[in-house]
Amino acid sequence: MTTTLFERLARPASAAPPSPQRRPSAARERILSTAGRLFYDEGIHAVGVERVLTEAGVTRVTFYRHFPSKDALIEAYLRARGDRMRDRIAAVHGAVDADPRRTLDAIAETLVDDRSGAGFRGCEFVNAAAEYADAAHPARAVTVLQRGWLMDVTSEALHQLGHPQPRRLARQLLMLRTGAAVASDLDDGEDIGEVFLEAWRAVLAAGLAAGVARH
């Protein structure tokens, strides 16, 4: 059976089985929120467990009750960021699988929306991949899964729009998005988001037009 775009949007970017449901824990959320802020602002390697404990105001026992290691915390941080992105794109797409062009717009706009916040330091997944080259490390593994999910959703939307080589055009678009994320961190131009959206729409329109011409 062919997977619909909406099913792909709802699917977690993970090959692992879902973890058992836990009761909400204020301490866990405080640890995760603190770690997320520190990891993003200062880099994952630069932030140790002791720093997270101090700023989150929790004991070591409490920390290890929720996260058996720093690697487990890193994985949870990146999965939470990925969940947020998927929820935002799915909310724009809506409950009916009917508007793939709007989904493509949403994939681009999430980057611009993130950049509009204070303290933007680029894409958290790109940053994590730059810090961890080992493919077996959770930071790298979750980043690859998230990238794969974005590739699948983008490709599926392009397929529904009738492009004959949707995955190739999806690669071009995601390369542009990654480059824009890096540029947003390094460049100080106020119009970077606007320039990126112009480029995204131009590449998308040209790619779709070329696809139609090849038919």
Side-chain angles (χ1 to χ4, degrees):
M1 176 182 293
T2 302
T3 304
T4 68
L5 180 56
F6 186 71
E7 288 170 337
R8 287 184 184 274
L9 285 169
R11 178 189 301 169
S14 171
S19 56
Q21 291 295 317
R22 299 176 180 176
R23 288 183 301 174
S25 165
R28 184 183 188 279
E29 291 308 309
R30 193 160 67 251
I31 294 167
L32 193 54
S33 174
T34 301
R37 172 175 54 81
L38 294 173
F39 288 164
Y40 187 72
D41 290 348
E42 302 180 20
I44 299 173
H45 275 125
V47 177
V49 169
E50 287 297 333
R51 175 84 181 281
V52 175
L53 296 181
T54 299
E55 298 213 13
V58 298
T59 65
R60 183 174 288 273
V61 170
T62 298
F63 176 88
Y64 284 113
R65 181 184 304 132
H66 296 289
F67 304 100
S69 65
K70 181 183 176 181
D71 282 354
L73 177 61
I74 295 168
E75 180 176 1
Y77 152 66
L78 290 172
R79 288 192 183 282
R81 293 296 179 106
D83 288 345
R84 186 180 68 180
M85 178 186 291
R86 288 191 297 278
D87 288 346
R88 287 168 65 187
I89 294 172
V92 170
H93 182 76
V96 180
D97 188 17
D99 191 357
R101 185 63 180 262
R102 188 71 192 94
T103 299
L104 292 168
D105 288 344
I107 291 170
E109 289 163 2
T110 53
L111 175 63
V112 177
D113 291 345
D114 283 345
R115 188 183 178 277
S116 66
F120 183 76
R121 289 192 58 252
C123 172
E124 51 271 81
F125 294 99
V126 172
N127 295 345
E131 288 198 61
Y132 293 91
D134 181 2
H137 191 277
R140 192 83 180 190
V142 174
T143 296
V144 169
L145 285 169
Q146 178 69 11
R147 183 77 170 186
W149 178 84
L150 268 177
M151 177 66 74
D152 285 349
V153 174
T154 306
S155 298
E156 181 68 17
L158 292 168
H159 171 72
Q160 291 190 5
L161 288 169
H163 196 278
Q165 293 182 297
R167 202 159 187 86
R168 187 173 185 83
L169 181 53
R171 288 180 63 194
Q172 294 172 2
L173 290 169
L174 293 187
M175 287 171 68
L176 180 62
R177 190 181 189 281
T178 300
V182 174
S184 292
D185 181 28
L186 298 178
D187 299 344
D188 57 4
E190 292 295 327
D191 63 344
I192 289 177
E194 180 183 339
V195 170
F196 162 63
L197 288 177
E198 288 176 357
W200 173 278
R201 289 163 183 158
V203 171
L204 177 57
L208 290 174
V212 170
R214 282 196 292 268
H215 272 353

mmCIF file of all heavy atoms in Angstrom, residues 1 11 29 38 75 81 88 91 116 121 140 145 147 170 175 184-185 187-188 200 203 209-210:
data_model
loop_
_atom_site.group_PDB
_atom_site.id
_atom_site.type_symbol
_atom_site.label_atom_id
_atom_site.label_comp_id
_atom_site.label_asym_id
_atom_site.label_seq_id
_atom_site.Cartn_x
_atom_site.Cartn_y
_atom_site.Cartn_z
ATOM 1 N N MET A 1 0.855 -1.197 0.000
ATOM 2 C CA MET A 1 0.000 0.000 0.000
ATOM 3 C C MET A 1 0.884 1.238 0.000
ATOM 4 O O MET A 1 1.849 1.324 0.753
ATOM 5 C CB MET A 1 -0.894 0.006 1.250
ATOM 6 C CG MET A 1 -1.755 1.274 1.378
ATOM 7 S SD MET A 1 -2.744 1.278 2.895
ATOM 8 C CE MET A 1 -3.856 -0.061 2.555
ATOM 9 N N ARG A 11 4.152 10.227 11.043
ATOM 10 C CA ARG A 11 5.055 9.157 11.468
ATOM 11 C C ARG A 11 6.291 9.735 12.149
ATOM 12 O O ARG A 11 6.937 10.617 11.600
ATOM 13 C CB ARG A 11 5.472 8.327 10.266
ATOM 14 C CG ARG A 11 6.452 7.214 10.617
ATOM 15 C CD ARG A 11 6.998 6.572 9.356
ATOM 16 N NE ARG A 11 5.922 6.012 8.551
ATOM 17 C CZ ARG A 11 6.104 5.589 7.312
ATOM 18 N NH1 ARG A 11 7.269 5.703 6.736
ATOM 19 N NH2 ARG A 11 5.096 5.084 6.637
ATOM 20 N N GLU A 29 10.994 17.470 32.233
ATOM 21 C CA GLU A 29 10.813 18.570 31.290
ATOM 22 C C GLU A 29 11.768 19.718 31.585
ATOM 23 O O GLU A 29 12.270 20.373 30.667
ATOM 24 C CB GLU A 29 9.362 19.057 31.325
ATOM 25 C CG GLU A 29 8.369 18.052 30.757
ATOM 26 C CD GLU A 29 8.777 17.573 29.372
ATOM 27 O OE1 GLU A 29 9.059 18.423 28.508
ATOM 28 O OE2 GLU A 29 8.830 16.341 29.162
ATOM 29 N N LEU A 38 20.951 25.096 26.526
ATOM 30 C CA LEU A 38 22.416 25.119 26.626
ATOM 31 C C LEU A 38 23.077 24.460 25.415
ATOM 32 O O LEU A 38 24.058 24.983 24.870
ATOM 33 C CB LEU A 38 22.859 24.421 27.909
ATOM 34 C CG LEU A 38 22.466 25.113 29.215
ATOM 35 C CD1 LEU A 38 22.818 24.227 30.405
ATOM 36 C CD2 LEU A 38 23.145 26.474 29.337
ATOM 37 N N GLU A 75 19.939 12.596 22.671
ATOM 38 C CA GLU A 75 18.941 11.987 21.779
ATOM 39 C C GLU A 75 17.558 12.563 22.048
ATOM 40 O O GLU A 75 16.820 12.908 21.118
ATOM 41 C CB GLU A 75 18.931 10.474 21.961
ATOM 42 C CG GLU A 75 17.918 9.773 21.066
ATOM 43 C CD GLU A 75 17.986 8.255 21.172
ATOM 44 O OE1 GLU A 75 18.808 7.745 21.955
ATOM 45 O OE2 GLU A 75 17.205 7.595 20.464
ATOM 46 N N ARG A 81 13.144 18.358 19.289
ATOM 47 C CA ARG A 81 13.206 19.383 18.245
ATOM 48 C C ARG A 81 12.576 18.862 16.948
ATOM 49 O O ARG A 81 11.877 19.590 16.247
ATOM 50 C CB ARG A 81 14.655 19.802 18.010
ATOM 51 C CG ARG A 81 15.308 20.534 19.191
ATOM 52 C CD ARG A 81 14.632 21.864 19.492
ATOM 53 N NE ARG A 81 15.224 22.563 20.611
ATOM 54 C CZ ARG A 81 16.005 23.639 20.501
ATOM 55 N NH1 ARG A 81 16.299 24.144 19.313
ATOM 56 N NH2 ARG A 81 16.488 24.225 21.576
ATOM 57 N N ARG A 88 4.599 21.191 13.425
ATOM 58 C CA ARG A 88 4.328 22.465 12.753
ATOM 59 C C ARG A 88 3.968 22.238 11.276
ATOM 60 O O ARG A 88 3.038 22.853 10.751
ATOM 61 C CB ARG A 88 5.547 23.372 12.865
ATOM 62 C CG ARG A 88 5.749 23.932 14.266
ATOM 63 C CD ARG A 88 7.093 24.586 14.415
ATOM 64 N NE ARG A 88 7.236 25.756 13.583
ATOM 65 C CZ ARG A 88 8.377 26.421 13.446
ATOM 66 N NH1 ARG A 88 9.466 26.005 14.078
ATOM 67 N NH2 ARG A 88 8.436 27.490 12.671
ATOM 68 N N ALA A 91 0.537 20.609 11.061
ATOM 69 C CA ALA A 91 -0.542 21.547 11.371
ATOM 70 C C ALA A 91 -0.863 22.418 10.166
ATOM 71 O O ALA A 91 -2.034 22.719 9.892
ATOM 72 C CB ALA A 91 -0.153 22.417 12.561
ATOM 73 N N SER A 116 13.516 33.899 13.036
ATOM 74 C CA SER A 116 12.955 35.147 13.537
ATOM 75 C C SER A 116 13.043 35.249 15.057
ATOM 76 O O SER A 116 12.873 36.332 15.621
ATOM 77 C CB SER A 116 11.486 35.284 13.104
ATOM 78 O OG SER A 116 10.692 34.280 13.716
ATOM 79 N N ARG A 121 20.961 30.205 16.039
ATOM 80 C CA ARG A 121 22.316 29.730 15.744
ATOM 81 C C ARG A 121 22.300 28.661 14.660
ATOM 82 O O ARG A 121 23.100 27.735 14.669
ATOM 83 C CB ARG A 121 22.975 29.157 17.003
ATOM 84 C CG ARG A 121 23.359 30.186 18.046
ATOM 85 C CD ARG A 121 24.251 29.571 19.110
ATOM 86 N NE ARG A 121 25.458 28.995 18.544
ATOM 87 C CZ ARG A 121 25.707 27.683 18.433
ATOM 88 N NH1 ARG A 121 24.807 26.788 18.831
ATOM 89 N NH2 ARG A 121 26.834 27.249 17.923
ATOM 90 N N ARG A 140 24.156 11.845 15.722
ATOM 91 C CA ARG A 140 24.246 11.660 14.271
ATOM 92 C C ARG A 140 23.069 10.821 13.768
ATOM 93 O O ARG A 140 22.484 11.119 12.724
ATOM 94 C CB ARG A 140 25.568 10.955 13.942
ATOM 95 C CG ARG A 140 25.925 10.951 12.478
ATOM 96 C CD ARG A 140 26.581 12.247 12.085
ATOM 97 N NE ARG A 140 26.933 12.272 10.681
ATOM 98 C CZ ARG A 140 27.686 13.201 10.130
ATOM 99 N NH1 ARG A 140 28.176 14.187 10.865
ATOM 100 N NH2 ARG A 140 27.958 13.179 8.848
ATOM 101 N N LEU A 145 17.958 10.411 10.677
ATOM 102 C CA LEU A 145 16.538 10.066 10.625
ATOM 103 C C LEU A 145 15.676 11.283 10.289
ATOM 104 O O LEU A 145 14.744 11.207 9.488
ATOM 105 C CB LEU A 145 16.094 9.467 11.961
ATOM 106 C CG LEU A 145 16.527 8.026 12.246
ATOM 107 C CD1 LEU A 145 16.260 7.676 13.701
ATOM 108 C CD2 LEU A 145 15.806 7.051 11.321
ATOM 109 N N ARG A 147 16.643 14.003 8.728
ATOM 110 C CA ARG A 147 16.914 14.374 7.339
ATOM 111 C C ARG A 147 16.158 13.447 6.386
ATOM 112 O O ARG A 147 15.591 13.880 5.385
ATOM 113 C CB ARG A 147 18.417 14.293 7.075
ATOM 114 C CG ARG A 147 18.856 14.711 5.685
ATOM 115 C CD ARG A 147 18.855 16.187 5.523
ATOM 116 N NE ARG A 147 19.482 16.620 4.281
ATOM 117 C CZ ARG A 147 19.705 17.877 3.959
ATOM 118 N NH1 ARG A 147 19.377 18.850 4.792
ATOM 119 N NH2 ARG A 147 20.269 18.202 2.817
ATOM 120 N N ALA A 170 13.909 17.101 -4.603
ATOM 121 C CA ALA A 170 13.877 17.211 -3.143
ATOM 122 C C ALA A 170 15.277 17.420 -2.589
ATOM 123 O O ALA A 170 15.484 18.224 -1.667
ATOM 124 C CB ALA A 170 13.250 15.962 -2.532
ATOM 125 N N MET A 175 19.167 20.787 0.068
ATOM 126 C CA MET A 175 20.515 21.367 0.065
ATOM 127 C C MET A 175 20.433 22.886 0.200
ATOM 128 O O MET A 175 21.217 23.510 0.926
ATOM 129 C CB MET A 175 21.255 20.984 -1.218
ATOM 130 C CG MET A 175 21.703 19.526 -1.263
ATOM 131 S SD MET A 175 22.351 19.030 -2.888
ATOM 132 C CE MET A 175 23.853 20.003 -2.949
ATOM 133 N N SER A 184 22.249 31.737 7.730
ATOM 134 C CA SER A 184 21.503 32.508 8.724
ATOM 135 C C SER A 184 22.288 32.668 10.007
ATOM 136 O O SER A 184 22.149 33.668 10.715
ATOM 137 C CB SER A 184 20.162 31.828 9.024
ATOM 138 O OG SER A 184 19.315 31.885 7.902
ATOM 139 N N ASP A 185 23.122 31.679 10.313
ATOM 140 C CA ASP A 185 23.943 31.748 11.520
ATOM 141 C C ASP A 185 25.181 32.623 11.286
ATOM 142 O O ASP A 185 25.587 33.385 12.162
ATOM 143 C CB ASP A 185 24.365 30.332 11.926
ATOM 144 C CG ASP A 185 25.204 30.314 13.198
ATOM 145 O OD1 ASP A 185 25.029 31.218 14.030
ATOM 146 O OD2 ASP A 185 26.036 29.410 13.351
ATOM 147 N N ASP A 187 25.829 34.872 8.517
ATOM 148 C CA ASP A 187 25.631 36.191 7.903
ATOM 149 C C ASP A 187 24.733 37.059 8.784
ATOM 150 O O ASP A 187 23.910 36.547 9.533
ATOM 151 C CB ASP A 187 24.993 36.048 6.517
ATOM 152 C CG ASP A 187 25.873 35.241 5.561
ATOM 153 O OD1 ASP A 187 27.068 35.069 5.878
ATOM 154 O OD2 ASP A 187 25.368 34.791 4.525
ATOM 155 N N ASP A 188 24.875 38.348 8.667
ATOM 156 C CA ASP A 188 24.086 39.238 9.515
ATOM 157 C C ASP A 188 23.040 40.029 8.745
ATOM 158 O O ASP A 188 22.468 40.985 9.249
ATOM 159 C CB ASP A 188 24.991 40.199 10.290
ATOM 160 C CG ASP A 188 25.878 41.027 9.367
ATOM 161 O OD1 ASP A 188 25.727 40.912 8.140
ATOM 162 O OD2 ASP A 188 26.730 41.781 9.887
ATOM 163 N N TRP A 200 14.057 29.345 -2.771
ATOM 164 C CA TRP A 200 13.290 28.092 -2.650
ATOM 165 C C TRP A 200 12.171 28.041 -3.687
ATOM 166 O O TRP A 200 11.999 27.060 -4.402
ATOM 167 C CB TRP A 200 12.732 27.993 -1.236
ATOM 168 C CG TRP A 200 11.793 26.842 -0.988
ATOM 169 C CD1 TRP A 200 10.467 26.776 -1.280
ATOM 170 C CD2 TRP A 200 12.120 25.580 -0.366
ATOM 171 N NE1 TRP A 200 9.934 25.569 -0.880
ATOM 172 C CE2 TRP A 200 10.917 24.821 -0.324
ATOM 173 C CE3 TRP A 200 13.276 25.039 0.161
ATOM 174 C CZ2 TRP A 200 10.876 23.549 0.240
ATOM 175 C CZ3 TRP A 200 13.226 23.766 0.727
ATOM 176 C CH2 TRP A 200 12.045 23.024 0.747
ATOM 177 N N VAL A 203 13.609 27.729 -7.311
ATOM 178 C CA VAL A 203 14.091 26.373 -7.608
ATOM 179 C C VAL A 203 12.901 25.428 -7.753
ATOM 180 O O VAL A 203 12.866 24.583 -8.656
ATOM 181 C CB VAL A 203 15.060 25.881 -6.510
ATOM 182 C CG1 VAL A 203 15.380 24.400 -6.700
ATOM 183 C CG2 VAL A 203 16.350 26.700 -6.532
ATOM 184 N N ALA A 209 8.471 23.079 -13.572
ATOM 185 C CA ALA A 209 8.301 23.402 -14.983
ATOM 186 C C ALA A 209 9.133 22.464 -15.854
ATOM 187 O O ALA A 209 8.662 21.981 -16.899
ATOM 188 C CB ALA A 209 8.690 24.855 -15.240
ATOM 189 N N ALA A 210 10.358 22.199 -15.429
ATOM 190 C CA ALA A 210 11.214 21.289 -16.189
ATOM 191 C C ALA A 210 10.642 19.880 -16.191
ATOM 192 O O ALA A 210 10.717 19.160 -17.190
ATOM 193 C CB ALA A 210 12.626 21.288 -15.604
#
